[in-house]
Amino acid sequence: MVSIRLGELPPAARQLADAVVDAVEAARGDDAPAYDEAVARLAVQEPERVGLVLGAVVRQLLEDVYPDGLAADEVLDALDDAVRGAAAWAAVDTEVLVSVVAGALGIHEVDTPEGPERPRSVRPVELAGQAPLLVAALLRRSRRPLRSHLELAFGEIWRAETVELP
């Protein structure tokens, strides 16, 4: 796996990484004002980049926390930890959290025909406000710090953007 040191990121990517770190640290400390400020900084970043980075971090964490594979029980367990960990101080949206997990795993179908079974689109501000809660919950079980997961996430994104397909 490719890893990019956070200090070597370009300024825009570094701002995104800093906002993620601040949001997750605020979530881990149950600090609602700091969380709201960090989420506001995340919400003004380029939405596609925020989604890529947070999705990659969640995927890394799920692989780290559940090395023997991920089944429905583990997903429910991770979601339950996120909800219980933040419910006392944050507005938790379980539907968005489920979408974050599904998107991180690459199973959130955007081509599903219109209808009641089609998942609703998650707005960038919702992603910015909910994904760090899940990251904070997963970090409680992880063997590695957030910085490591972020560096791997940026490395994964860099590799995907620079590798030419045959």
Side-chain angles (χ1 to χ4, degrees):
M1 292 184 148
V2 177
S3 179
I4 297 179
R5 295 175 50 92
L6 297 183
E8 298 171 358
L9 292 172
R14 181 64 193 182
Q15 288 176 348
L16 173 56
D18 289 345
V20 169
V21 168
D22 292 347
V24 171
E25 290 305 313
R28 294 178 84 183
D30 299 340
D31 186 343
Y35 188 76
D36 291 343
E37 187 274 327
V39 166
R41 289 181 17 235
L42 267 178
V44 298
Q45 301 287 325
E46 183 181 337
E48 184 179 343
R49 290 279 177 210
V50 173
L52 285 172
V53 170
L54 289 171
V57 169
V58 168
R59 186 172 42 261
Q60 295 277 340
L61 280 161
L62 288 169
E63 290 172 0
D64 185 39
V65 172
Y66 302 105
D68 294 331
L70 194 62
D73 287 343
E74 285 82 14
V75 171
L76 290 173
D77 190 42
L79 292 170
D80 187 56
D81 283 354
V83 171
R84 288 179 190 274
W89 62 271
V92 180
D93 186 330
T94 55
E95 189 176 352
V96 173
L97 289 173
V98 169
S99 293
V100 169
V101 171
L105 297 174
I107 57 173
H108 195 253
E109 283 295 320
V110 293
D111 295 330
T112 306
E114 294 297 324
E117 59 280 338
R118 181 184 174 101
R120 74 172 175 86
S121 295
V122 174
R123 296 182 329 225
V125 69
E126 292 175 309
L127 174 67
Q130 298 298 304
L133 301 175
L134 181 59
V135 170
L138 289 167
L139 277 170
R140 286 192 276 276
R141 297 182 185 189
S142 178
R143 298 181 310 259
R144 295 185 310 213
L146 175 59
R147 179 181 194 90
S148 174
H149 292 287
L150 271 171
E151 289 175 345
L152 287 169
F154 278 103
E156 180 180 308
I157 292 165
W158 173 82
R159 184 191 51 76
E161 290 178 349
T162 58
V163 171
E164 291 185 30
L165 296 176

